């Protein structure tokens, strides 16, 4: 329509131009609207800074620590998390931890190297529905190498006797000089620093073991040990060990065993719980039962068991027991020594009869002999008195 109010007819060129303008305007609106929305592909976060493994001197208990990533100003309202992976270098499996902290502590085998990596995590609520991860930050840790591998101690053996006394022993490394001597250090959570053994087991002038003092509050914790050495001839490679004390407990053997034959078939085996601080619920027992020439073994968590006699004619029944800390109180353990053997032979009434008859026969014979001797002496005394009276009477008659 023109200014006079009349409709104006547009030619084809003008109509095409107007149509093009509308399309461009529509495209501009769409681009403006959706282009202003943030895209996950454009959201990035940096990895943590200053990632390192720190050794505080606890013989394998290390601290992995880091600082927040750079440029977090756009995510002040977000809770930043970190995914940490770590392992000893020869291990096939990574341990994975998700944490909001800037450090994490765990135990490692210092005989080997340690590797770790960490990256930053932005939760989905901060990134329009998808979690965003940074690239990895990586680090490694090795103890300072010292001495040849052959100089390390051999056959390290530690036993926690009756859950009370820890004793460790070892053998010298191969090819070490005669002047080599060893020192043991230990640490567990609760101690302020690593402690050196104060009571060594000395063999031919060398420290070949350690008797530990009372270890307060040391159960169910990682127990760290380092045995190093010194020699004027060459350096000695240190050895590191990690274990938990409840897994190397060796109890005392059970005692006061009893074997009772209730009837022709049923047999009752019973024993007393080993002495010491180990709770009754923590024991498992292994029983070796012998019936004539047959032996079989079974286990139980009770200190009593009923078994069935295989033959009424069996004449020899014996059993012995040993103990160990069970799976409810430890992951592993060491069997105690075997108890003394307790036996039953033949019918019990025959044993009882023989037991009483033999002493009774000896006592009866002794009483009989004593009685005979007394009667003999009494008879001799009476006879002597009779003869004496007779002589006196005869003498009186002669005098008259």
């Amino acid at each position: 329509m023109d200014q006079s109010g009349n409709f104006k007819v547009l030619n084809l060129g003008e109509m095409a131009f107007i149509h093009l303008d509308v399309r461009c305007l529509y495209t501009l609106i769409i681009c403006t609207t959706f282009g202003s929305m943030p895209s996950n592909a454009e959201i990035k976060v940096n990895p943590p800074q200053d990632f390192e493994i720190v050794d505080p001197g606890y013989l394998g208990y290390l601290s992995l620590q880091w600082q927040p990533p750079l440029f977090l100003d756009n995510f002040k309202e977000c809770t930043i998390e970190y995914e940490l992976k770590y392992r000893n270098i020869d291990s096939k499996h990574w341990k994975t931890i998700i944490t909001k902290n800037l450090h994490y502590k765990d135990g490692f085998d210092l005989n080997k190297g340690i590797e770790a990596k960490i990256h930053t995590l932005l939760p989905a609520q901060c990134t329009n529905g998808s979690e965003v991860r940074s690239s990895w930050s990586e680090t490694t840790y090795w103890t300072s190498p010292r001495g040849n591998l052959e100089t390390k101690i051999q056959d390290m053996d530690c036993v926690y006797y009756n859950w009370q006394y820890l004793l460790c022993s070892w053998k010298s490394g191969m090819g070490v000089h005669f002047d080599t001597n060893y020192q043991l250090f230990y640490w567990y959570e609760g101690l302020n620093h690593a402690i050196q053994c104060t009571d060594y087991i000395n063999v031919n002038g060398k420290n070949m073991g350690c008797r530990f003092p009372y270890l307060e509050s040391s159960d169910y914790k990682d127990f760290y040990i380092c045995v190093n050495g010194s020699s004027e001839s060459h350096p000695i490679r240190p050895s590191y060990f990690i274990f938990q004390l409840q897994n190397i407990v060796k109890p005392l053997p059970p005692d006061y065993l009893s074997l009772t034959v209730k009837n022709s078939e049923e047999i009752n085996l019973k024993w007393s719980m080993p002495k010491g601080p180990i709770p009754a619920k923590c024991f498992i027992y292994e029983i070796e039962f012998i019936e004539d020439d047959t032996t079989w073994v079974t286990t139980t968590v009770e200190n009593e068991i009923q078994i069935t006699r295989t033959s009424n004619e069996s004449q020899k029944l014996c059993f012995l027991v040993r103990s160990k800390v069970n799976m409810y109180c430890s992951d592993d353990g060491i069997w105690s020594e075997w108890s003394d053997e307790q036996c039953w032979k033949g019918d019990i009434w025959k044993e009882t009869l023989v037991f009483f008859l033999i002493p009774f026969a000896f006592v009866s014979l002794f009483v009989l002999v004593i009685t005979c001797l007394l009667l003999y002496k009494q008879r001799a005394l009476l006879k002597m008195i009779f003869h004496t009276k007779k002589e006196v009477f005869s003498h009186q008659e002669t005098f008259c």
Side-chain angles (χ1 to χ4, degrees):
M1 179 179 293
D2 56 13
Q3 294 179 352
S4 61
N6 298 321
F7 288 98
K8 181 180 181 181
V9 178
L10 300 177
N11 58 37
L12 292 176
E14 290 174 333
M15 291 178 64
F17 180 78
I18 293 172
H19 181 69
L20 180 62
D21 285 346
V22 171
R23 290 182 60 183
C24 290
L25 179 62
Y26 181 71
T27 303
L28 180 62
I29 293 172
I30 293 176
C31 291
T32 303
T33 302
F34 289 93
S36 64
M37 294 179 63
S39 171
N40 290 341
E42 297 174 357
I43 299 176
K44 294 182 180 180
V45 64
N46 290 312
Q49 302 180 82
D50 304 327
F51 182 41
E52 61 179 343
I53 300 174
V54 178
D55 186 353
Y58 296 152
L59 314 179
Y61 188 67
L62 306 181
S63 176
L64 297 89
Q65 53 194 46
W66 56 93
Q67 294 299 321
L70 295 172
F71 310 118
L72 286 180
D73 294 342
N74 296 330
F75 307 103
K76 290 181 178 180
E77 303 301 323
C78 293
T79 301
I80 306 298
E81 293 184 332
Y82 304 97
E83 182 178 15
L84 171 67
K85 292 179 177 286
Y86 59 91
R87 65 180 178 179
N88 276 109
I89 286 180
D90 66 340
S91 175
K92 295 181 180 179
H93 304 288
W94 293 88
K95 289 185 178 180
T96 302
I97 300 296
I98 305 294
T99 180
K100 300 174 185 178
N101 298 322
L102 297 175
H103 61 86
Y104 188 80
K105 298 178 181 180
D106 203 354
F108 296 87
D109 182 0
L110 293 188
N111 296 301
K112 309 163 187 174
I114 297 110
E115 59 181 342
K117 56 184 181 179
I118 190 171
H119 61 195
T120 310
L121 302 179
L122 289 180
Q125 59 267 28
C126 298
T127 58
N128 298 323
S130 296
E131 184 180 68
V132 174
R133 304 183 179 200
S134 74
S135 59
W136 289 102
S137 178
E138 301 182 6
T139 188
T140 59
Y141 179 79
W142 294 82
T143 57
S144 300
R146 186 173 75 244
N148 295 327
L149 190 63
E150 293 78 13
T151 62
K152 294 175 61 174
I153 62 166
Q154 300 179 347
D155 301 335
M156 179 69 159
D157 182 44
C158 292
V159 179
Y160 199 26
Y161 288 98
N162 209 34
W163 213 311
Q164 291 176 302
Y165 314 105
L166 177 62
L167 188 147
C168 292
S169 61
W170 57 84
K171 294 180 181 178
S172 295
M174 297 177 60
V176 297
H177 199 260
F178 70 89
D179 69 342
T180 301
N181 207 351
Y182 300 98
Q183 299 82 38
L184 180 146
F185 296 84
Y186 64 94
W187 181 87
Y188 59 89
E189 193 171 357
L191 298 180
N192 294 326
H193 55 82
I195 297 176
Q196 183 175 182
C197 175
T198 57
D199 187 8
Y200 286 106
I201 299 171
N202 197 274
V203 179
N204 298 325
K206 298 181 184 295
N207 298 332
M208 304 304 293
C210 176
R211 303 179 190 90
F212 289 76
Y214 172 69
L215 301 168
E216 185 178 1
S217 302
S218 58
D219 302 335
Y220 301 100
K221 298 178 180 179
D222 285 339
F223 194 91
Y224 299 84
I225 287 179
C226 173
V227 180
N228 59 25
S230 59
S231 171
E232 295 183 357
S233 303
H234 51 75
I236 305 299
R237 176 75 65 93
S239 297
Y240 297 90
F241 306 90
I242 309 174
F243 49 79
Q244 292 198 354
L245 295 183
Q246 75 276 0
N247 295 331
I248 57 170
V249 171
K250 183 176 182 178
L252 294 173
D255 53 9
Y256 302 111
L257 278 64
S258 68
L259 188 157
T260 305
V261 180
K262 292 187 174 182
N263 50 50
S264 60
E265 294 183 352
E266 295 297 323
I267 300 173
N268 176 264
L269 307 179
K270 192 173 183 179
W271 54 91
S272 294
M273 187 184 75
K275 298 176 181 177
I278 306 175
K281 65 179 181 180
C282 289
F283 281 111
I284 184 172
Y285 302 98
E286 186 175 67
I287 302 98
E288 182 178 290
F289 181 74
I290 304 150
E291 183 175 359
D292 288 339
D293 297 329
T294 304
T295 301
W296 56 268
V297 176
T298 188
T299 58
T300 179
V301 293
E302 304 294 336
N303 67 327
E304 184 175 9
I305 188 174
Q306 305 289 334
I307 62 173
T308 302
R309 197 171 175 178
T310 59
S311 172
N312 294 337
E313 303 299 325
S314 55
Q315 295 298 308
K316 180 182 179 182
L317 303 173
C318 295
F319 83 106
L320 51 163
V321 189
R322 61 179 181 174
S323 60
K324 189 176 81 166
V325 177
N326 62 35
M327 67 180 197
Y328 301 108
C329 298
S330 71
D331 296 328
D332 201 357
I334 303 172
W335 284 107
S336 72
E337 302 298 327
W338 286 102
S339 67
D340 294 332
E341 189 178 65
Q342 177 71 20
C343 290
W344 178 92
K345 297 178 182 179
D347 293 326
I348 192 68
W349 69 269
K350 292 181 179 179
E351 293 185 358
T352 305
L353 185 62
V354 171
F355 179 79
F356 283 105
L357 280 181
I358 291 177
F360 181 74
F362 278 107
V363 171
S364 299
L365 181 61
F366 178 76
V367 171
L368 181 61
V369 170
I370 296 298
T371 302
C372 290
L373 289 174
L374 290 175
L375 290 175
Y376 176 78
K377 287 185 177 181
Q378 186 177 14
R379 183 180 178 185
L381 181 60
L382 291 174
K383 187 175 181 180
M384 184 182 67
I385 293 172
F386 176 76
H387 284 294
T388 302
K389 287 184 177 181
K390 187 176 180 181
E391 289 178 0
V392 171
F393 182 75
S394 300
H395 180 70
Q396 288 177 351
E397 285 185 347
T398 304
F399 178 78
C400 293

